[in-house]
Amino acid sequence: MTSSRVANELASVLVPLGIVGAVLAGLCALVAAIAIVRGAGGLAGGAVGIWIPAAVLSLTASFANQWTPLFVSVALLVGLLVIGVVVRGIVNAGEPARAAARERRAAVIAAAPVTTTASTTTGSPATGTIPALAR
């Protein structure tokens, strides 16, 4: 076998492995971004920790001079982490307004008059089943 034939055979195996690694790395980056938005630091760290072997798997395509899977996996991680941080900042910026709205709603509920209906029974008022309270 000539060296070009060996290189072609290796490329036929290593490039699909690199693409699978890039897809897995992209999924891990997406999970990390969602975890950052939700404020789950442990999940974000775990997702980035799993992203590392997936990125190494995408590195296998570089042995066939295909660097695109590695670049895609790195770009996805960086881009989605930035998006996650920005969205988390937007969510945190809106929190004081939501807290003020909850306080206003609680004040309106507390200030609302309580209406009770008069009892129309003619017998003794029902006080429960405890005889000591019936007097």
Side-chain angles (χ1 to χ4, degrees):
M1 285 178 85
T2 63
S3 62
S4 64
R5 183 171 167 110
V6 171
N8 285 337
E9 292 293 325
L10 283 176
S12 69
V13 173
L14 294 177
V15 172
L17 278 177
I19 292 171
V20 167
V23 168
L24 291 174
L27 290 175
C28 291
L30 182 64
V31 169
I34 292 171
I36 288 174
V37 169
R38 295 184 54 96
L43 181 60
V48 172
I50 295 174
W51 175 88
I52 293 169
V56 170
L57 186 61
S58 72
L59 186 64
T60 60
S62 68
F63 291 107
N65 289 328
Q66 296 294 320
W67 292 91
T68 307
L70 178 65
F71 293 151
V72 166
S73 63
V74 171
L76 278 173
L77 179 69
V78 171
L80 286 173
L81 289 181
V82 168
I83 289 171
V85 169
V86 168
V87 171
R88 179 70 181 173
I90 292 170
V91 168
N92 284 343
E95 186 60 35
R98 284 191 295 274
R102 280 192 299 262
E103 289 174 8
R104 283 192 305 269
R105 195 173 326 127
V108 167
I109 290 171
V114 178
T115 58
T116 58
T117 58
S119 175
T120 58
T121 60
T122 57
S124 64
T127 58
T129 60
I130 301 174
L133 294 178
R135 295 183 196 167

